[in-house]
């Protein structure tokens, strides 16, 4: 009889703390715009700077988590998040807000790198990822419901991210410290599945840019084009994130039964339609329908993409690199959405993003089709068309 699976809750908590900033992007950018002397494009640029800093942390740390130790890096990342986001929340001085957002973003990226590396080493990385997405979706939904009732200003969403990082800190005691064994592991083989990994890493910035171009301006679509109140828009986001929870639960239940190519490929095509619908919304029904459908599908596809990246390398390097590449797209999303909306309007923006997603669905599906899994006596071996085989020896 097989041993029961245990959930690595510290990794789930770190995943939540690292991903919360992107999930709160619409309210963060919107409140920077309304609470500070900034144009919508300038507020979007600050959001992009935050996420670009997060991506930079991932690229820098992709192969260094074992070297420095998960516990040390997680604590450094959480500390930067608390100081950066917390400092930005406590001031209205624009340079200090920008600096805090950048420092906090680097902290978020550091925490995400530790979480991604740890999740990739699990026996079932997709399962752990779904728990992380459930946690961050639930928390973000609660924030969207709460923030409109806490008064105006830019501080509330930034403070929520900082407080989450502070709350996660005690769980880092259960992470592995830097050890001689961990240092020795860093001298391991080169990245496996090089062609598949590079194709996935190249496609993800475009995929994420399209998602977050919409997400970064969704608040403005609801307020300016659909003529809704901030409380109503916040309620729509909370409901949409609730449906996102259902999507993640469904993905967790399905697991590998449908493979990875179908959820990733078909899911991306459906997301393209949701983006076009949401961007063209002029009333509550259309706006809510587009946002809810998009939030239902987005975390499902994301969970399979993260699981695919994790499966390419049990040491988690592709998971971190692909995640950081995704963060690059996330970083340019608010600026891209703001520029497209300013020059062509929200509906045209949605059309451009939808067409781009349809194109990106091809390489993502190709990578998922390339990968196949075989099981050997000492553990699963991952093999793809690159001819590279990685044997995963599972510790007792």
């Amino acid at each position: 009889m097989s041993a029961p699976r245990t959930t690595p809750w510290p990794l789930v908590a770190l995943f939540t703390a690292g991903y919360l900033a992107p999930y709160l992007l619409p309210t963060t950018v919107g409140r920077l715009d309304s609470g500070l002397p900034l144009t919508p494009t300038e507020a979007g640029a600050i959001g992009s700077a935050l996420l670009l800093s997060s991506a930079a942390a991932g690229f820098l740390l992709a192969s260094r988590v074992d070297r420095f130790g998960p516990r040390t890096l997680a604590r450094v990342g959480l500390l930067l998040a608390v100081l950066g986001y917390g400092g930005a929340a406590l001031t209205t001085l624009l340079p200090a807000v920008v600096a805090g957002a950048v420092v906090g973003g680097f902290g978020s990226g550091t925490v995400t790198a530790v979480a991604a590396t740890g999740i990739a080493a699990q026996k079932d990385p997709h399962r752990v990822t779904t728990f992380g997405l459930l946690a961050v979706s639930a928390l973000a939904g609660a924030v969207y419901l709460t923030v409109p009732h806490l008064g105006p200003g830019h501080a509330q969403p930034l403070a929520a991210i900082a407080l989450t990082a502070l709350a996660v800190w005690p769980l880092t005691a259960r992470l592995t410290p830097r050890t001689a064994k961990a240092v020795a592991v860093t001298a391991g083989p080169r990245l496996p599945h090089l062609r598949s990994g590079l194709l996935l890493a190249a496609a993800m910035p475009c995929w994420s840019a399209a998602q977050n171009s919409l997400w970064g301006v969704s608040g403005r679509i609801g307020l300016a084009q659909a003529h809704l109140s901030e409380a109503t828009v916040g309620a729509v986001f909370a409901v949409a994130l609730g449906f996102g929870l259902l999507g993640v639960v469904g993905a967790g239940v399905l697991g590998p039964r449908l493979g990875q190519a179908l959820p990733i490929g078909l899911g991306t095509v459906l997301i393209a339609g949701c983006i076009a619908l949401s961007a063209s919304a002029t009333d509550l029904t259309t706006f809510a329908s587009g946002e809810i459908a998009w939030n239902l599908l987005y975390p499902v596809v994301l969970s399979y993409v993260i699981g695919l990246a994790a499966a390419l390398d049990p040491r988690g390097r592709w998971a971190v690199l692909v995640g950081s590449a995704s963060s690059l797209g996330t970083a340019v999303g608010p600026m891209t959405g703001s520029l497209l909306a300013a020059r062509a309007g929200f509906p045209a923006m949605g059309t451009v993003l939808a067409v781009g997603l349809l194109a990106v669905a091809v390489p993502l599906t190709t990578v998922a089709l390339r990968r196949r899994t075989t099981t050997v006596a000492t553990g699963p071996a991952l093999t793809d068309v690159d001819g590279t085989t990685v044997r995963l020896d599972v510790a007792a």
Side-chain angles (χ1 to χ4, degrees), residues 8 76-77 79 214 220 233 259 269 347 375:
V76 169
L79 179 61
L214 173 72
R220 287 162 51 200
V233 171
V269 171
T375 304

Side-chain angles (χ1 to χ4, degrees), residues 168-251:
V168 169
W169 179 281
L171 293 177
T172 59
R174 296 171 59 185
L175 296 175
T176 306
R178 184 174 185 268
T179 63
K181 180 179 179 180
V183 175
V185 169
T186 63
R190 294 182 301 173
L191 280 169
H193 307 286
L194 188 59
R195 282 180 290 177
S196 292
L198 288 175
L199 185 58
L200 187 61
M204 280 309 291
C206 302
W207 189 86
S208 294
Q211 313 288 336
N212 287 280
S213 292
L214 173 72
W215 192 231
V217 299
S218 285
R220 287 162 51 200
I221 293 173
L223 295 171
Q225 183 170 277
H227 307 293
L228 307 175
S229 67
E230 184 186 18
T232 302
V233 171
V236 169
F237 287 157
V239 172
L241 288 169
F243 274 82
L245 293 176
L246 295 178
V248 175
V249 170

Side-chain angles (χ1 to χ4, degrees), residues 5 35 42 48 69 129 133 148 150 169 196 202 213 217 223 233 247 253 258 280 291 297 318-319 327 341 359 371 373:
R5 293 181 295 180
E42 290 170 342
S48 292
T129 299
L133 289 170
L150 299 179
W169 179 281
S196 292
S213 292
V217 299
L223 295 171
V233 171
V253 171
L258 297 178
S280 65
E291 292 292 327
L297 294 167
W318 276 127
S327 295
R371 179 187 171 272
T373 305

Side-chain angles (χ1 to χ4, degrees), residues 35-81:
L36 296 172
L38 295 168
T39 66
T41 300
E42 290 170 342
I46 294 178
S48 292
L50 184 161
L51 297 171
L52 185 61
S53 179
S54 179
F59 283 120
L60 287 173
L61 299 172
S63 61
R64 295 178 172 86
V65 174
D66 289 326
R67 182 179 305 169
F68 295 114
R71 183 187 299 171
T72 300
L73 271 186
R75 288 178 172 175
V76 169
L78 292 172
L79 179 61
L80 291 175

Side-chain angles (χ1 to χ4, degrees), residues 23 43 45 96 270 302 350:
Y23 265 70
L270 293 176
L302 180 62

Side-chain angles (χ1 to χ4, degrees), residues 122-372:
Q122 301 298 309
K123 294 181 180 180
D124 189 352
H126 182 264
R127 175 175 174 269
V128 182
T129 299
T130 57
F131 276 111
L133 289 170
L134 280 171
V136 71
S137 296
L139 180 57
V143 173
Y144 277 115
L145 285 175
T146 304
V147 163
H149 303 288
L150 299 179
H154 71 287
Q156 290 87 340
L158 293 170
I161 305 171
L163 290 174
T164 299
L166 188 62
V168 169
W169 179 281
L171 293 177
T172 59
R174 296 171 59 185
L175 296 175
T176 306
R178 184 174 185 268
T179 63
K181 180 179 179 180
V183 175
V185 169
T186 63
R190 294 182 301 173
L191 280 169
H193 307 286
L194 188 59
R195 282 180 290 177
S196 292
L198 288 175
L199 185 58
L200 187 61
M204 280 309 291
C206 302
W207 189 86
S208 294
Q211 313 288 336
N212 287 280
S213 292
L214 173 72
W215 192 231
V217 299
S218 285
R220 287 162 51 200
I221 293 173
L223 295 171
Q225 183 170 277
H227 307 293
L228 307 175
S229 67
E230 184 186 18
T232 302
V233 171
V236 169
F237 287 157
V239 172
L241 288 169
F243 274 82
L245 293 176
L246 295 178
V248 175
V249 170
V253 171
L254 285 174
R257 291 182 180 87
L258 297 178
Q260 291 171 317
L262 181 62
I264 292 174
L266 179 59
T268 298
V269 171
L270 293 176
I271 286 173
C274 295
I275 288 178
L277 177 64
S278 184
S280 65
T282 56
D283 54 47
L284 175 59
T285 301
T286 307
F287 179 73
S289 298
E291 292 292 327
I292 289 172
W294 178 72
N295 275 277
L296 176 66
L297 294 167
Y298 168 75
V300 174
V301 179
L302 180 62
S303 71
Y304 280 97
V305 171
I306 293 175
L308 175 60
L312 293 178
D313 177 23
R315 287 178 54 196
R317 290 168 294 179
W318 276 127
V320 177
L321 287 171
V322 169
S324 299
S326 176
S327 295
L328 284 177
T330 304
V332 302
M335 178 65 73
T336 302
S338 295
L339 290 175
L340 284 174
R343 296 188 178 185
F346 293 121
M349 176 203 74
T351 300
V352 171
L353 297 178
V355 171
L357 268 182
L358 293 177
V360 170
V362 176
L364 290 178
T365 306
T366 299
V367 175
L369 288 172
R370 280 183 175 184
R371 179 187 171 272
R372 65 180 184 271

